[in-house]
Amino acid sequence: MAHGPTEEKQQAHELIERLPPKQLSALVGLLEAMLDPVSLALANAPIDNEPVTAEKALGEAREWSKRNKSIPHEQVLADLGITQEEINHVKFEEPK
């Protein structure tokens, strides 16, 4: 079993050499995500476990709108490439 950084790297190299191509591809993706600064920041960010109530969210929204220009609903829909008609006809499935 590896004990120091050098031994751990050697062990990692040996394990990588034994991986089939499909698993190697998955490992590369994992390593890239681990080294990506945004992914790393998200992984190390503290958990926000403060409960959010409707009253708190509404209060924050009202405070925000006092300091910022509101975006019309129609503009948001246009930016998303959808229409109010499409929203009105969305059918929701019951959770299984």
Side-chain angles (χ1 to χ4, degrees), residues 3 6-8 17-18 20 30 39-40 47-50 52-53 63 72 78 86 90-91:
H3 298 289
T6 303
E7 291 86 5
E8 286 179 344
E17 289 299 323
R18 294 173 36 200
L30 175 64
S39 296
L40 193 57
I47 296 172
D48 180 9
N49 59 359
E50 181 181 336
V52 178
T53 63
E63 285 301 314
E86 290 171 318
V90 170
K91 299 209 185 317

Side-chain angles (χ1 to χ4, degrees), residues 70-84:
S70 297
I71 303 168
H73 181 69
E74 295 77 17
Q75 180 63 46
V76 173
L77 294 179
D79 290 349
L80 295 172
I82 58 176
T83 66
Q84 185 63 48

Side-chain angles (χ1 to χ4, degrees), residues 28-46:
V28 169
L30 175 64
L31 291 171
E32 287 173 341
M34 290 172 68
L35 295 172
D36 173 56
V38 175
S39 296
L40 193 57
L42 288 174
N44 292 322

